[in-house]
């Protein structure tokens, strides 16, 4: 009789251990999810914070007091559009490191926005594909025909496939 009780108690304990292991696994997955988001935010925010004061002043739609306010302001659609417009107007005049940082900021904020909203998606643009005026925008110094040699910033399109903003690319000379 006592052996049977010990056996039942052992089964209960084994079941409890299994449930706790499942909880730990679930918590680890959730922790990795938050680490990925927060570490990504910290990295992008630190890069953005490294920009010159004048550049950040021109981008006053993004709050820069801390990473959380930066994210909260950055994922509002009107601010994503404003950052896109800023990049479109200034991309050819920015220093290379500024351009890379701001394009990375745009990519990050767009991706976070897209996680909760499916109104827009990115336009695919690849090095080596033919320049297409319907999908790409080039600088005035680039040839009007040829292959894409560098994608500076991928464009975006509405859910119905209408290209709202073309990808900004460099075109190689033939």
């Amino acid at each position: 009789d006592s052996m049977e009780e010990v056996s039942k108690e052992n089964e209960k304990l084994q079941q409890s251990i299994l449930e706790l292991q499942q909880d730990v696994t679930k918590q680890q997955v959730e922790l990795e999810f938050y680490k990925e988001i927060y570490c990504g935010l910290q990295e992008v925010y630190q890069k953005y914070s490294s920009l010159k004061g004048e550049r950040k002043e021109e981008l006053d739609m993004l709050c820069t007091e801390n990473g959380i306010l930066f994210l909260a302001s950055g994922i509002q659609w009107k601010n994503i559009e404003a950052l896109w417009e800023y990049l479109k107007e200034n991309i050819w005049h920015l220093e290379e490191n500024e351009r890379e940082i701001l394009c990375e900021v745009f990519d990050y904020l767009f991706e976070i926005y897209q996680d909760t909203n499916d109104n827009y998606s990115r336009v695919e643009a690849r090095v080596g594909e033919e320049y297409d005026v319907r999908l790409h925008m080039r600088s005035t110094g680039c040839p009007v025909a040829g292959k894409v040699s560098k994608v500076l910033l991928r464009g975006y399109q509405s859910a119905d496939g209408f290209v709202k903003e073309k990808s900004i690319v460099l075109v190689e000379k033939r």
Side-chain angles (χ1 to χ4, degrees), residues 13 17 22 26 30 40 47 52 58 85-86 88 90 92 110 113 123-124 133 135 153 162 173:
L13 289 172
I17 289 171
Q22 289 171 341
K26 184 179 169 190
E30 198 169 316
K47 286 180 180 180
K52 296 177 195 162
E58 294 169 348
E85 285 302 316
Y86 178 84
K88 183 166 72 172
N90 295 287
W92 310 112
F110 192 97
Y113 173 84
V123 173
E124 289 302 319
V133 71
L135 301 174
L153 184 63
F162 174 75
K173 293 176 174 42

Side-chain angles (χ1 to χ4, degrees), residues 101-134:
I101 288 170
L102 290 174
C103 288
E104 185 177 337
V105 166
F106 181 86
D107 290 342
Y108 175 79
L109 295 173
F110 192 97
E111 185 179 317
I112 297 295
Y113 173 84
Q114 204 175 12
D115 285 345
T116 59
N117 190 314
D118 60 0
N119 289 343
Y120 297 98
S121 62
R122 298 305 290 273
V123 173
E124 289 302 319
R126 291 182 183 82
V127 170
E129 68 186 9
E130 278 299 314
Y131 173 77
D132 183 340
V133 71
R134 295 168 299 162

Side-chain angles (χ1 to χ4, degrees), residues 40-51 56 59-76 79-80 83 101-102 104-109 112:
L41 169 60
Q42 278 306 104
E43 183 181 332
V44 169
Y45 177 66
Q46 285 175 344
K47 286 180 180 180
Y48 181 80
S49 296
S50 73
L51 292 172
K56 288 187 283 197
L59 296 162
D60 63 353
M61 81 286 291
L62 298 176
C63 292
T64 58
E65 293 171 42
N66 62 52
I68 300 300
L69 290 176
F70 172 77
L71 178 63
S73 65
I75 62 170
Q76 294 175 34
N79 292 339
I80 290 174
L83 179 55
I101 288 170
L102 290 174
E104 185 177 337
V105 166
F106 181 86
D107 290 342
Y108 175 79
L109 295 173
I112 297 295

